[in-house]
Amino acid sequence: MTEKRETTTTVRRGRRLPLAGVVLFMTVLLVAVIVISTGSGFVRIPLPDVARIIAAQLTGLEGLAARLDPLAPVVVMDVRLPRILTAALVGSGLAISGAVFQGILLNPLADPYTLGVSAGAAFGASVALLIDFTLLGPWSVPAFAFCGALATLMAVIYLTASSGDFSSGALILSGIIVAAILSAGVSFIKYLADEQVGIIIFWLMGSFASKTWAEVGLTATAVIPGLIVFLFFSRDLNLLALGSRTAGSLGVATRKISLILLVAASLISAVCVAVSGIIGFVGLLVPHMVRFVTGPDNRRLLPVSALVGAILLLAADTVTRAVLPQEVPIGVITALIGGPVFCYIYRKRQTREVR
């Protein structure tokens, strides 16, 4: 029996594609989706023109876009590309955060919102919309959302640390308690909002409309360093999957590493939610999809999850922006697509385990 399991494991490892090849393929696919999405919309721009405009901006050779419609560079660089890159970065951030949460909590149903980060962001944004806070201009609602998410994270860590244990059960229970309280708070704010309740609901459903280069930079400063941190600790994350005692015996400072990864993943999620609103299923679904290709090794799982998350969320945003007759909040699209897909993956995995 043992020999059979070892043989099966060897076969599965042999079937896995080289990481460099997978990353290269996904990177090319992501670039293609970005170009196609940039050219799609009410004002259609041919793909060669899109490539020329982007190349002109990157190289500084304005002659590449000299003979194009003067409106095209404005549409590409000022309207569409900031939204597209924000969607890709948010997709990457949610995907890698989901993979890390699943690795730390040892729970396949964990995602960036397990610890109540989304509930905290929703509460903060709802407060800003209720009091009509505009002191920070377009950053008013995202700032309140980020502060709410950060305060929620601190509350969950405080509750968990008081028990002297950063176990998955304690973290999940603390997250559920705090999220339940904040969800009740959001419902009460909706009741008080009266005429503004529609604005609050729309924000809660998620959207990438009217994004700017400032939001691209903000999201990038959270997602890219976060991915680097995750990759640096990816070996330790692999060992944590064996259990805290086993990981500790192998030289991993389990409490310290868990806290670092937990805070980093939560901060990435907080920034993503503050920029885009509540977008579900990306952090839950993408790691499960990628594991079919990369296996459970986080050194392979994390970079591929970042690329797949970017592609899927960008594709969903392109559909709602350029394909549907009326723009639908992106959170609705991800829920409608992600729910059935996750059910299929879960059912297939259960059937495989039974066999």
Side-chain angles (χ1 to χ4, degrees), residues 64-88:
L64 293 174
R67 297 182 179 179
L68 300 178
D69 184 349
L71 181 63
V74 177
V75 172
V76 170
M77 300 305 302
D78 297 335
V79 178
R80 291 182 183 170
L81 208 54
R83 172 174 180 159
I84 287 167
L85 294 181
T86 302

Side-chain angles (χ1 to χ4, degrees), residues 11-99:
V11 171
R12 287 180 180 175
R13 287 178 180 174
R15 289 178 180 175
R16 289 177 191 164
L17 299 174
L19 178 61
V22 175
V23 170
L24 178 60
F25 173 76
M26 290 297 175
T27 302
V28 173
L29 182 60
L30 176 59
V31 172
V33 174
I34 289 174
V35 173
I36 294 171
S37 179
T38 305
S40 303
F42 180 77
V43 177
R44 294 193 175 274
I45 302 174
L47 299 186
D49 292 351
V50 172
R52 289 168 59 187
I53 293 170
I54 296 176
Q57 292 293 325
L58 292 176
T59 61
L61 301 176
E62 298 181 359
L64 293 174
R67 297 182 179 179
L68 300 178
D69 184 349
L71 181 63
V74 177
V75 172
V76 170
M77 300 305 302
D78 297 335
V79 178
R80 291 182 183 170
L81 208 54
R83 172 174 180 159
I84 287 167
L85 294 181
T86 302
L89 288 167
V90 169
S92 294
L94 294 178
I96 59 177
S97 297

Side-chain angles (χ1 to χ4, degrees), residues 167-189:
S167 66
S168 61
L171 287 167
I172 293 174
L173 182 59
S174 299
I176 291 174
I177 293 171
V178 175
I181 296 172
L182 292 173
S183 296
V186 171
S187 298
F188 182 66
I189 290 174

Side-chain angles (χ1 to χ4, degrees), residues 39-319:
S40 303
F42 180 77
V43 177
R44 294 193 175 274
I45 302 174
L47 299 186
D49 292 351
V50 172
R52 289 168 59 187
I53 293 170
I54 296 176
Q57 292 293 325
L58 292 176
T59 61
L61 301 176
E62 298 181 359
L64 293 174
R67 297 182 179 179
L68 300 178
D69 184 349
L71 181 63
V74 177
V75 172
V76 170
M77 300 305 302
D78 297 335
V79 178
R80 291 182 183 170
L81 208 54
R83 172 174 180 159
I84 287 167
L85 294 181
T86 302
L89 288 167
V90 169
S92 294
L94 294 178
I96 59 177
S97 297
V100 170
F101 275 122
Q102 291 169 13
I104 295 175
L105 303 179
L106 303 178
N107 188 332
L109 297 179
D111 69 354
Y113 308 136
T114 301
L115 301 186
V117 173
S118 67
F123 182 80
S126 299
V127 170
L129 293 170
L130 177 66
I131 65 177
D132 196 20
F133 182 79
T134 58
L135 186 61
L136 301 178
W139 294 101
S140 301
V141 174
F144 265 65
F146 179 77
C147 291
L150 192 60
T152 302
L153 172 63
M154 295 173 63
V156 170
I157 292 177
Y158 173 77
L159 291 175
T160 308
S162 63
S163 66
D165 183 21
F166 272 116
S167 66
S168 61
L171 287 167
I172 293 174
L173 182 59
S174 299
I176 291 174
I177 293 171
V178 175
I181 296 172
L182 292 173
S183 296
V186 171
S187 298
F188 182 66
I189 290 174
K190 289 180 183 178
Y191 172 76
L192 296 177
D194 196 16
E195 295 180 357
Q196 293 180 307
V197 67
I199 301 175
I200 295 175
I201 292 175
F202 182 80
W203 189 92
L204 293 176
M205 290 190 292
S207 175
F208 291 108
S210 304
K211 297 306 173 186
T212 64
W213 285 105
E215 282 141 328
V216 175
L218 174 63
T219 313
T221 54
V223 174
I224 295 175
L227 178 59
I228 294 173
V229 171
F230 294 157
L231 291 175
F232 181 79
F233 290 108
S234 57
R235 177 184 174 276
D236 297 322
L237 188 58
N238 287 339
L239 295 177
L240 286 174
L242 302 176
S244 57
R245 291 185 179 180
T246 304
S249 66
L250 295 173
V252 177
T254 56
R255 186 181 178 88
K256 177 182 176 181
I257 299 301
S258 296
L259 184 60
I260 291 173
L261 294 175
L262 178 67
V263 171
S266 298
L267 289 177
I268 291 174
S269 303
V271 171
C272 291
V273 173
V275 168
S276 65
I278 309 299
I279 298 176
F281 279 99
V282 176
L284 176 63
L285 180 62
V286 171
H288 287 285
M289 295 173 59
V290 173
R291 285 190 187 97
F292 284 112
V293 179
T294 65
D297 188 352
N298 287 283
R299 292 171 295 184
R300 298 166 56 89
L301 175 66
L302 289 169
V304 180
S305 293
L307 293 169
V308 173
I311 293 169
L312 290 184
L313 191 55
L314 177 54
D317 183 60
T318 303
V319 169

